[in-house]
Short mmCIF file of all heavy atoms in Angstrom, two decimals:
data_model
loop_
_atom_site.label_atom_id
_atom_site.label_comp_id
_atom_site.label_asym_id
_atom_site.label_seq_id
_atom_site.Cartn_x
_atom_site.Cartn_y
_atom_site.Cartn_z
N ILE K 1 6.65 6.02 28.34
CA ILE K 1 7.32 5.63 27.10
C ILE K 1 8.23 4.43 27.33
O ILE K 1 8.23 3.52 26.50
CB ILE K 1 8.08 6.82 26.47
CG1 ILE K 1 7.07 7.83 25.94
CG2 ILE K 1 9.00 6.36 25.36
CD1 ILE K 1 7.66 9.05 25.30
N PRO K 2 9.01 4.35 28.42
CA PRO K 2 9.90 3.19 28.58
C PRO K 2 9.16 1.85 28.63
O PRO K 2 9.65 0.87 28.08
CB PRO K 2 10.60 3.47 29.91
CG PRO K 2 10.53 4.94 30.09
CD PRO K 2 9.23 5.35 29.47
N VAL K 3 8.01 1.82 29.25
CA VAL K 3 7.25 0.57 29.33
C VAL K 3 6.77 0.15 27.95
O VAL K 3 6.92 -1.01 27.55
CB VAL K 3 6.06 0.71 30.31
CG1 VAL K 3 5.17 -0.51 30.26
CG2 VAL K 3 6.56 0.95 31.72
N LEU K 4 6.22 1.08 27.19
CA LEU K 4 5.78 0.77 25.83
C LEU K 4 6.96 0.42 24.93
O LEU K 4 6.87 -0.48 24.10
CB LEU K 4 5.04 1.96 25.22
CG LEU K 4 3.60 2.16 25.63
CD1 LEU K 4 3.05 3.45 25.04
CD2 LEU K 4 2.74 0.99 25.21
N ALA K 5 8.06 1.12 25.08
CA ALA K 5 9.23 0.89 24.23
C ALA K 5 9.79 -0.52 24.39
O ALA K 5 10.29 -1.09 23.44
CB ALA K 5 10.31 1.93 24.52
N GLN K 6 9.69 -1.07 25.57
CA GLN K 6 10.25 -2.40 25.81
C GLN K 6 9.25 -3.52 25.53
O GLN K 6 9.59 -4.68 25.59
CB GLN K 6 10.76 -2.50 27.24
CG GLN K 6 11.88 -1.52 27.54
CD GLN K 6 12.99 -1.55 26.49
OE1 GLN K 6 13.49 -2.60 26.11
NE2 GLN K 6 13.36 -0.38 25.99
N SER K 7 8.00 -3.16 25.21
CA SER K 7 6.99 -4.17 24.90
C SER K 7 7.06 -4.51 23.41
O SER K 7 7.67 -3.81 22.62
CB SER K 7 5.60 -3.65 25.26
OG SER K 7 5.22 -2.62 24.38
N ASP K 8 6.42 -5.60 23.05
CA ASP K 8 6.37 -6.01 21.65
C ASP K 8 4.98 -5.71 21.10
O ASP K 8 4.29 -6.58 20.61
CB ASP K 8 6.70 -7.49 21.53
CG ASP K 8 6.88 -7.92 20.09
OD1 ASP K 8 7.29 -7.08 19.27
OD2 ASP K 8 6.59 -9.08 19.77
N LEU K 9 4.58 -4.45 21.20
CA LEU K 9 3.26 -4.02 20.75
C LEU K 9 3.37 -3.08 19.57
O LEU K 9 4.30 -2.29 19.49
CB LEU K 9 2.53 -3.29 21.89
CG LEU K 9 2.22 -4.07 23.15
CD1 LEU K 9 1.67 -3.14 24.22
CD2 LEU K 9 1.23 -5.18 22.85
N ASP K 10 2.40 -3.16 18.67
CA ASP K 10 2.26 -2.15 17.64
C ASP K 10 1.41 -1.05 18.24
O ASP K 10 0.44 -1.32 18.94
CB ASP K 10 1.57 -2.73 16.40
CG ASP K 10 2.40 -3.82 15.75
OD1 ASP K 10 3.64 -3.70 15.77
OD2 ASP K 10 1.82 -4.77 15.23
N VAL K 11 1.75 0.20 17.99
CA VAL K 11 1.08 1.33 18.62
C VAL K 11 0.49 2.24 17.55
O VAL K 11 1.17 2.59 16.59
CB VAL K 11 2.06 2.13 19.50
CG1 VAL K 11 1.39 3.34 20.11
CG2 VAL K 11 2.64 1.23 20.59
N VAL K 12 -0.76 2.61 17.74
CA VAL K 12 -1.41 3.62 16.91
C VAL K 12 -1.60 4.84 17.79
O VAL K 12 -2.17 4.75 18.87
CB VAL K 12 -2.78 3.13 16.37
CG1 VAL K 12 -3.49 4.24 15.63
CG2 VAL K 12 -2.59 1.90 15.50
N VAL K 13 -1.12 5.98 17.33
CA VAL K 13 -1.20 7.22 18.11
C VAL K 13 -2.29 8.09 17.49
O VAL K 13 -2.23 8.40 16.30
CB VAL K 13 0.15 7.96 18.12
CG1 VAL K 13 0.05 9.23 18.96
CG2 VAL K 13 1.25 7.05 18.64
N GLU K 14 -3.26 8.48 18.29
CA GLU K 14 -4.35 9.33 17.83
C GLU K 14 -4.35 10.62 18.63
O GLU K 14 -3.91 10.64 19.77
CB GLU K 14 -5.70 8.65 18.05
CG GLU K 14 -5.90 7.36 17.29
CD GLU K 14 -7.27 6.78 17.55
OE1 GLU K 14 -8.26 7.42 17.13
OE2 GLU K 14 -7.35 5.73 18.18
N GLY K 15 -4.86 11.67 18.03
CA GLY K 15 -4.99 12.94 18.73
C GLY K 15 -5.24 14.08 17.78
O GLY K 15 -5.15 13.93 16.56
N ALA K 16 -5.52 15.22 18.33
CA ALA K 16 -5.81 16.41 17.54
C ALA K 16 -4.53 16.94 16.89
O ALA K 16 -3.41 16.62 17.31
CB ALA K 16 -6.43 17.48 18.43
N THR K 17 -4.71 17.75 15.88
CA THR K 17 -3.59 18.39 15.19
C THR K 17 -2.78 19.23 16.17
O THR K 17 -3.34 19.96 16.98
CB THR K 17 -4.11 19.28 14.05
OG1 THR K 17 -4.85 18.47 13.15
CG2 THR K 17 -2.98 19.96 13.32
N GLY K 18 -1.47 19.08 16.11
CA GLY K 18 -0.59 19.91 16.92
C GLY K 18 -0.35 19.41 18.34
O GLY K 18 0.20 20.14 19.16
N THR K 19 -0.74 18.18 18.63
CA THR K 19 -0.57 17.67 20.00
C THR K 19 0.71 16.88 20.20
O THR K 19 0.96 16.40 21.30
CB THR K 19 -1.78 16.80 20.41
OG1 THR K 19 -1.92 15.73 19.46
CG2 THR K 19 -3.05 17.62 20.45
N GLY K 20 1.51 16.72 19.16
CA GLY K 20 2.80 16.04 19.32
C GLY K 20 2.76 14.55 19.04
O GLY K 20 3.60 13.81 19.55
N LYS K 21 1.83 14.10 18.23
CA LYS K 21 1.72 12.67 17.92
C LYS K 21 2.99 12.14 17.26
O LYS K 21 3.51 11.09 17.66
CB LYS K 21 0.51 12.41 17.02
CG LYS K 21 -0.82 12.72 17.65
CD LYS K 21 -1.96 12.48 16.68
CE LYS K 21 -1.91 13.33 15.46
NZ LYS K 21 -2.16 14.75 15.66
N THR K 22 3.49 12.85 16.27
CA THR K 22 4.70 12.38 15.57
C THR K 22 5.90 12.42 16.48
O THR K 22 6.73 11.48 16.48
CB THR K 22 4.94 13.22 14.31
OG1 THR K 22 3.78 13.14 13.47
CG2 THR K 22 6.15 12.73 13.54
N LEU K 23 6.03 13.44 17.29
CA LEU K 23 7.13 13.52 18.24
C LEU K 23 7.08 12.34 19.22
O LEU K 23 8.09 11.70 19.49
CB LEU K 23 7.08 14.84 19.01
CG LEU K 23 8.12 15.02 20.11
CD1 LEU K 23 9.54 14.98 19.54
CD2 LEU K 23 7.87 16.31 20.86
N PHE K 24 5.89 12.07 19.74
CA PHE K 24 5.73 10.93 20.65
C PHE K 24 6.10 9.62 19.94
O PHE K 24 6.83 8.79 20.49
CB PHE K 24 4.28 10.86 21.17
CG PHE K 24 4.02 9.65 22.00
CD1 PHE K 24 4.38 9.61 23.33
CD2 PHE K 24 3.40 8.53 21.45
CE1 PHE K 24 4.15 8.49 24.10
CE2 PHE K 24 3.17 7.40 22.20
CZ PHE K 24 3.54 7.38 23.54
N ALA K 25 5.60 9.44 18.72
CA ALA K 25 5.87 8.20 17.98
C ALA K 25 7.36 8.02 17.70
O ALA K 25 7.90 6.93 17.86
CB ALA K 25 5.07 8.19 16.69
N ARG K 26 8.03 9.09 17.29
CA ARG K 26 9.48 9.00 17.03
C ARG K 26 10.26 8.71 18.31
O ARG K 26 11.20 7.92 18.31
CB ARG K 26 9.99 10.29 16.40
CG ARG K 26 9.60 10.45 14.97
CD ARG K 26 10.28 11.68 14.35
NE ARG K 26 9.78 11.92 13.02
CZ ARG K 26 10.18 11.26 11.93
NH1 ARG K 26 11.09 10.33 12.03
NH2 ARG K 26 9.67 11.54 10.75
N THR K 27 9.86 9.35 19.40
CA THR K 27 10.53 9.12 20.68
C THR K 27 10.35 7.67 21.12
O THR K 27 11.30 7.01 21.56
CB THR K 27 9.99 10.08 21.75
OG1 THR K 27 10.19 11.41 21.30
CG2 THR K 27 10.69 9.88 23.08
N LEU K 28 9.15 7.18 20.99
CA LEU K 28 8.85 5.79 21.33
C LEU K 28 9.67 4.83 20.45
O LEU K 28 10.27 3.88 20.95
CB LEU K 28 7.36 5.52 21.18
CG LEU K 28 6.88 4.11 21.49
CD1 LEU K 28 7.16 3.75 22.94
CD2 LEU K 28 5.39 4.00 21.20
N HIS K 29 9.72 5.10 19.17
CA HIS K 29 10.48 4.25 18.24
C HIS K 29 11.97 4.23 18.59
O HIS K 29 12.58 3.17 18.65
CB HIS K 29 10.27 4.74 16.81
CG HIS K 29 11.03 3.95 15.80
ND1 HIS K 29 10.67 2.67 15.44
CD2 HIS K 29 12.14 4.24 15.09
CE1 HIS K 29 11.52 2.22 14.55
NE2 HIS K 29 12.43 3.16 14.32
N ARG K 30 12.53 5.41 18.84
CA ARG K 30 13.97 5.50 19.17
C ARG K 30 14.32 4.78 20.46
O ARG K 30 15.43 4.29 20.61
CB ARG K 30 14.39 6.96 19.26
CG ARG K 30 14.47 7.62 17.91
CD ARG K 30 14.96 9.04 18.03
NE ARG K 30 14.90 9.69 16.73
CZ ARG K 30 14.46 10.90 16.53
NH1 ARG K 30 14.05 11.64 17.54
NH2 ARG K 30 14.43 11.40 15.32
N ALA K 31 13.37 4.72 21.39
CA ALA K 31 13.63 4.07 22.68
C ALA K 31 13.37 2.57 22.62
O ALA K 31 13.69 1.85 23.57
CB ALA K 31 12.76 4.70 23.77
N SER K 32 12.81 2.08 21.53
CA SER K 32 12.39 0.68 21.46
C SER K 32 13.48 -0.22 20.88
O SER K 32 14.49 0.24 20.35
CB SER K 32 11.13 0.56 20.60
OG SER K 32 11.45 0.67 19.23
N THR K 33 13.21 -1.51 20.95
CA THR K 33 14.12 -2.48 20.35
C THR K 33 14.02 -2.46 18.83
O THR K 33 14.84 -3.06 18.16
CB THR K 33 13.81 -3.90 20.87
OG1 THR K 33 12.44 -4.20 20.58
CG2 THR K 33 14.05 -3.99 22.36
N ARG K 34 13.02 -1.78 18.30
CA ARG K 34 12.85 -1.66 16.85
C ARG K 34 13.59 -0.46 16.27
O ARG K 34 13.47 -0.16 15.08
CB ARG K 34 11.37 -1.53 16.51
CG ARG K 34 10.55 -2.71 16.97
CD ARG K 34 9.10 -2.48 16.67
NE ARG K 34 8.26 -3.53 17.25
CZ ARG K 34 6.98 -3.64 17.02
NH1 ARG K 34 6.36 -2.80 16.24
NH2 ARG K 34 6.31 -4.62 17.58
N ALA K 35 14.34 0.24 17.07
CA ALA K 35 15.00 1.48 16.64
C ALA K 35 15.92 1.27 15.45
O ALA K 35 16.17 2.21 14.70
CB ALA K 35 15.75 2.10 17.81
N ARG K 36 16.43 0.08 15.27
CA ARG K 36 17.34 -0.16 14.15
C ARG K 36 16.59 -0.24 12.81
O ARG K 36 17.18 -0.23 11.75
CB ARG K 36 18.15 -1.43 14.38
CG ARG K 36 17.35 -2.70 14.32
CD ARG K 36 18.26 -3.92 14.53
NE ARG K 36 17.57 -5.13 14.20
CZ ARG K 36 16.89 -5.89 15.06
NH1 ARG K 36 16.82 -5.53 16.33
NH2 ARG K 36 16.30 -6.99 14.68
N HIS K 37 15.27 -0.32 12.89
CA HIS K 37 14.44 -0.38 11.69
C HIS K 37 13.93 1.02 11.34
O HIS K 37 13.91 1.91 12.18
CB HIS K 37 13.24 -1.31 11.90
CG HIS K 37 13.65 -2.71 12.21
ND1 HIS K 37 14.22 -3.56 11.28
CD2 HIS K 37 13.59 -3.41 13.37
CE1 HIS K 37 14.49 -4.72 11.86
NE2 HIS K 37 14.12 -4.65 13.12
N ARG K 38 13.50 1.17 10.11
CA ARG K 38 13.01 2.45 9.62
C ARG K 38 11.71 2.84 10.32
O ARG K 38 10.86 2.00 10.59
CB ARG K 38 12.78 2.34 8.12
CG ARG K 38 12.34 3.61 7.47
CD ARG K 38 12.32 3.49 5.97
NE ARG K 38 11.92 2.16 5.54
CZ ARG K 38 11.13 1.91 4.51
NH1 ARG K 38 10.67 2.90 3.79
NH2 ARG K 38 10.82 0.69 4.17
N PHE K 39 11.55 4.12 10.60
CA PHE K 39 10.32 4.67 11.17
C PHE K 39 9.51 5.28 10.04
O PHE K 39 10.04 6.02 9.22
CB PHE K 39 10.65 5.75 12.21
CG PHE K 39 9.45 6.48 12.72
CD1 PHE K 39 8.66 5.93 13.71
CD2 PHE K 39 9.11 7.72 12.20
CE1 PHE K 39 7.54 6.60 14.17
CE2 PHE K 39 8.00 8.40 12.66
CZ PHE K 39 7.21 7.83 13.65
N LEU K 40 8.24 4.96 9.99
CA LEU K 40 7.37 5.50 8.96
C LEU K 40 6.08 5.99 9.61
O LEU K 40 5.34 5.20 10.19
CB LEU K 40 7.05 4.43 7.91
CG LEU K 40 6.08 4.83 6.80
CD1 LEU K 40 6.67 5.96 5.97
CD2 LEU K 40 5.79 3.62 5.92
N ALA K 41 5.84 7.28 9.53
CA ALA K 41 4.59 7.86 10.04
C ALA K 41 3.61 7.96 8.89
O ALA K 41 3.95 8.44 7.81
CB ALA K 41 4.85 9.24 10.63
N ILE K 42 2.39 7.50 9.12
CA ILE K 42 1.35 7.55 8.10
C ILE K 42 0.17 8.33 8.66
O ILE K 42 -0.37 7.98 9.70
CB ILE K 42 0.88 6.13 7.70
CG1 ILE K 42 2.05 5.32 7.16
CG2 ILE K 42 -0.25 6.21 6.68
CD1 ILE K 42 1.74 3.86 6.94
N ASP K 43 -0.21 9.40 7.97
CA ASP K 43 -1.37 10.18 8.37
C ASP K 43 -2.57 9.62 7.64
O ASP K 43 -2.86 9.99 6.50
CB ASP K 43 -1.14 11.66 8.02
CG ASP K 43 -2.28 12.54 8.49
OD1 ASP K 43 -3.27 12.01 9.05
OD2 ASP K 43 -2.18 13.76 8.29
N CYS K 44 -3.27 8.71 8.27
CA CYS K 44 -4.40 8.02 7.64
C CYS K 44 -5.53 8.97 7.28
O CYS K 44 -6.32 8.68 6.38
CB CYS K 44 -4.91 6.90 8.54
SG CYS K 44 -3.72 5.56 8.74
N ALA K 45 -5.65 10.10 7.96
CA ALA K 45 -6.72 11.05 7.69
C ALA K 45 -6.59 11.69 6.31
O ALA K 45 -7.57 12.16 5.74
CB ALA K 45 -6.74 12.14 8.75
N THR K 46 -5.39 11.69 5.75
CA THR K 46 -5.19 12.31 4.43
C THR K 46 -5.38 11.31 3.29
O THR K 46 -5.34 11.71 2.13
CB THR K 46 -3.78 12.90 4.33
OG1 THR K 46 -2.82 11.85 4.44
CG2 THR K 46 -3.54 13.95 5.39
N LEU K 47 -5.59 10.05 3.61
CA LEU K 47 -5.73 9.02 2.59
C LEU K 47 -7.20 8.67 2.36
O LEU K 47 -7.98 8.67 3.30
CB LEU K 47 -4.99 7.76 3.01
CG LEU K 47 -3.50 7.91 3.29
CD1 LEU K 47 -2.93 6.61 3.84
CD2 LEU K 47 -2.77 8.33 2.04
N PRO K 48 -7.58 8.32 1.14
CA PRO K 48 -8.95 7.86 0.89
C PRO K 48 -9.21 6.56 1.66
O PRO K 48 -8.33 5.70 1.77
CB PRO K 48 -8.98 7.60 -0.62
CG PRO K 48 -7.79 8.28 -1.18
CD PRO K 48 -6.78 8.37 -0.07
N GLN K 49 -10.41 6.42 2.20
CA GLN K 49 -10.75 5.26 3.02
C GLN K 49 -10.47 3.92 2.33
O GLN K 49 -9.91 3.02 2.95
CB GLN K 49 -12.22 5.33 3.45
CG GLN K 49 -12.60 4.29 4.49
CD GLN K 49 -11.86 4.47 5.81
OE1 GLN K 49 -11.66 5.58 6.26
NE2 GLN K 49 -11.44 3.38 6.40
N PRO K 50 -10.82 3.74 1.04
CA PRO K 50 -10.52 2.44 0.40
C PRO K 50 -9.01 2.13 0.38
O PRO K 50 -8.62 0.98 0.49
CB PRO K 50 -11.05 2.61 -1.03
CG PRO K 50 -12.08 3.67 -0.92
CD PRO K 50 -11.60 4.60 0.15
N LEU K 51 -8.19 3.16 0.24
CA LEU K 51 -6.75 2.96 0.24
C LEU K 51 -6.28 2.50 1.61
O LEU K 51 -5.48 1.57 1.73
CB LEU K 51 -6.03 4.24 -0.15
CG LEU K 51 -4.51 4.17 -0.21
CD1 LEU K 51 -4.07 3.22 -1.31
CD2 LEU K 51 -3.92 5.54 -0.44
N VAL K 52 -6.80 3.11 2.65
CA VAL K 52 -6.43 2.73 4.02
C VAL K 52 -6.83 1.29 4.27
O VAL K 52 -6.04 0.48 4.75
CB VAL K 52 -7.08 3.67 5.06
CG1 VAL K 52 -6.84 3.17 6.47
CG2 VAL K 52 -6.55 5.08 4.90
N ASP K 53 -8.07 0.95 3.93
CA ASP K 53 -8.57 -0.40 4.18
C ASP K 53 -7.85 -1.45 3.34
O ASP K 53 -7.42 -2.48 3.83
CB ASP K 53 -10.07 -0.47 3.88
CG ASP K 53 -10.90 0.33 4.84
OD1 ASP K 53 -10.39 0.65 5.95
OD2 ASP K 53 -12.05 0.66 4.50
N GLY K 54 -7.70 -1.16 2.04
CA GLY K 54 -7.15 -2.17 1.13
C GLY K 54 -5.65 -2.25 1.09
O GLY K 54 -5.08 -3.33 1.01
N GLU K 55 -4.98 -1.11 1.12
CA GLU K 55 -3.53 -1.11 0.95
C GLU K 55 -2.75 -1.18 2.25
O GLU K 55 -1.66 -1.71 2.28
CB GLU K 55 -3.10 0.14 0.18
CG GLU K 55 -3.53 0.13 -1.27
CD GLU K 55 -2.91 -1.01 -2.06
OE1 GLU K 55 -1.72 -1.32 -1.86
OE2 GLU K 55 -3.63 -1.60 -2.88
N LEU K 56 -3.28 -0.63 3.32
CA LEU K 56 -2.53 -0.63 4.57
C LEU K 56 -2.86 -1.81 5.47
O LEU K 56 -1.98 -2.51 5.95
CB LEU K 56 -2.77 0.68 5.33
CG LEU K 56 -2.23 1.94 4.66
CD1 LEU K 56 -2.57 3.15 5.51
CD2 LEU K 56 -0.75 1.85 4.43
N PHE K 57 -4.14 -2.02 5.72
CA PHE K 57 -4.53 -2.97 6.76
C PHE K 57 -5.05 -4.30 6.25
O PHE K 57 -5.34 -5.20 7.03
CB PHE K 57 -5.55 -2.32 7.69
CG PHE K 57 -4.99 -1.14 8.42
CD1 PHE K 57 -5.35 0.14 8.08
CD2 PHE K 57 -4.06 -1.32 9.43
CE1 PHE K 57 -4.81 1.24 8.74
CE2 PHE K 57 -3.51 -0.23 10.09
CZ PHE K 57 -3.88 1.05 9.75
N ALA K 58 -5.17 -4.49 4.96
CA ALA K 58 -5.62 -5.77 4.41
C ALA K 58 -4.56 -6.85 4.64
O ALA K 58 -3.40 -6.55 4.90
CB ALA K 58 -5.92 -5.63 2.92
N SER K 59 -4.96 -8.09 4.50
CA SER K 59 -4.02 -9.19 4.77
C SER K 59 -2.81 -9.15 3.84
O SER K 59 -1.73 -9.60 4.21
CB SER K 59 -4.73 -10.54 4.64
OG SER K 59 -5.25 -10.71 3.34
N GLY K 60 -2.93 -8.61 2.64
CA GLY K 60 -1.79 -8.48 1.74
C GLY K 60 -1.32 -7.05 1.61
O GLY K 60 -0.59 -6.72 0.69
N GLY K 61 -1.71 -6.20 2.53
CA GLY K 61 -1.38 -4.78 2.47
C GLY K 61 0.03 -4.47 2.93
O GLY K 61 0.82 -5.36 3.29
N VAL K 62 0.35 -3.21 2.93
CA VAL K 62 1.68 -2.72 3.27
C VAL K 62 2.12 -3.18 4.66
O VAL K 62 3.24 -3.65 4.85
CB VAL K 62 1.72 -1.18 3.17
CG1 VAL K 62 3.04 -0.63 3.67
CG2 VAL K 62 1.46 -0.74 1.75
N ILE K 63 1.25 -3.04 5.63
CA ILE K 63 1.62 -3.40 7.00
C ILE K 63 1.85 -4.90 7.12
O ILE K 63 2.83 -5.35 7.72
CB ILE K 63 0.56 -2.90 8.00
CG1 ILE K 63 0.59 -1.37 8.02
CG2 ILE K 63 0.79 -3.47 9.39
CD1 ILE K 63 -0.48 -0.72 8.83
N ALA K 64 0.99 -5.70 6.51
CA ALA K 64 1.18 -7.16 6.55
C ALA K 64 2.47 -7.57 5.87
O ALA K 64 3.21 -8.42 6.36
CB ALA K 64 -0.01 -7.85 5.89
N ARG K 65 2.79 -6.93 4.73
CA ARG K 65 4.05 -7.26 4.03
C ARG K 65 5.26 -6.84 4.86
O ARG K 65 6.26 -7.55 4.91
CB ARG K 65 4.08 -6.60 2.65
CG ARG K 65 3.10 -7.23 1.67
CD ARG K 65 3.37 -6.81 0.23
NE ARG K 65 3.46 -5.38 0.04
CZ ARG K 65 2.44 -4.59 -0.29
NH1 ARG K 65 1.23 -5.10 -0.44
NH2 ARG K 65 2.63 -3.30 -0.49
N ALA K 66 5.17 -5.69 5.49
CA ALA K 66 6.30 -5.23 6.33
C ALA K 66 6.51 -6.19 7.48
O ALA K 66 7.66 -6.52 7.83
CB ALA K 66 6.03 -3.82 6.85
N LEU K 67 5.44 -6.66 8.08
CA LEU K 67 5.56 -7.61 9.18
C LEU K 67 6.16 -8.93 8.71
O LEU K 67 7.00 -9.51 9.38
CB LEU K 67 4.21 -7.85 9.85
CG LEU K 67 3.68 -6.70 10.68
CD1 LEU K 67 2.26 -7.01 11.16
CD2 LEU K 67 4.59 -6.39 11.86
N SER K 68 5.74 -9.40 7.54
CA SER K 68 6.29 -10.66 7.05
C SER K 68 7.77 -10.51 6.70
O SER K 68 8.55 -11.42 6.92
CB SER K 68 5.50 -11.17 5.85
OG SER K 68 5.66 -10.33 4.74
N ASP K 69 8.17 -9.35 6.16
CA ASP K 69 9.58 -9.10 5.87
C ASP K 69 10.39 -9.07 7.18
O ASP K 69 11.49 -9.60 7.24
CB ASP K 69 9.77 -7.77 5.13
CG ASP K 69 9.26 -7.81 3.72
OD1 ASP K 69 8.98 -8.93 3.22
OD2 ASP K 69 9.13 -6.75 3.09
N LEU K 70 9.82 -8.45 8.20
CA LEU K 70 10.50 -8.37 9.49
C LEU K 70 10.68 -9.75 10.09
O LEU K 70 11.73 -10.08 10.62
CB LEU K 70 9.70 -7.46 10.44
CG LEU K 70 10.26 -7.29 11.85
CD1 LEU K 70 11.63 -6.62 11.80
CD2 LEU K 70 9.30 -6.48 12.70
N LEU K 71 9.64 -10.57 9.99
CA LEU K 71 9.71 -11.92 10.56
C LEU K 71 10.67 -12.81 9.78
O LEU K 71 11.28 -13.72 10.32
CB LEU K 71 8.31 -12.55 10.60
CG LEU K 71 7.32 -11.88 11.54
CD1 LEU K 71 5.95 -12.50 11.40
CD2 LEU K 71 7.80 -11.97 12.99
N ALA K 72 10.81 -12.54 8.48
CA ALA K 72 11.70 -13.34 7.64
C ALA K 72 13.16 -12.97 7.85
O ALA K 72 14.05 -13.75 7.55
CB ALA K 72 11.33 -13.17 6.17
N ALA K 73 13.40 -11.77 8.36
CA ALA K 73 14.78 -11.29 8.52
C ALA K 73 15.48 -11.95 9.68
O ALA K 73 15.00 -12.52 10.54
CB ALA K 73 14.77 -9.78 8.74
#
């Protein structure tokens, strides 16, 4: 976790139900330089595929807008 926390990487955590993905993600976030920013966990498996593709990962999607807001700050 310390090596990942100090890197400037976006991390996607995958795994089976009940394996501690959210706990790992929160721990990683708290240890990182991004800790002052809000943490948002998204369970992509519960979302319809078009929503994931169009709203989250598209060039004008939520993640792209969040990144542009972060870079503008």
Side-chain angles (χ1 to χ4, degrees):
I1 291 180
V3 172
L4 281 175
Q6 298 311 311
S7 69
D8 189 29
L9 297 173
D10 296 325
V11 177
V12 174
V13 181
E14 297 181 67
T17 301
T19 57
K21 295 178 299 291
T22 303
L23 176 62
F24 175 81
R26 286 187 187 280
T27 302
L28 180 61
H29 179 73
R30 287 183 186 137
S32 76
T33 57
R34 300 177 187 188
R36 69 179 192 267
H37 300 289
R38 183 172 35 140
F39 172 81
L40 177 63
I42 301 171
D43 183 358
C44 293
T46 63
L47 302 174
Q49 189 64 39
L51 181 65
V52 173
D53 293 341
E55 291 297 320
L56 294 179
F57 297 106
S59 61
V62 173
I63 293 174
R65 290 194 308 268
L67 289 174
S68 67
D69 290 347
L70 178 63
L71 294 174

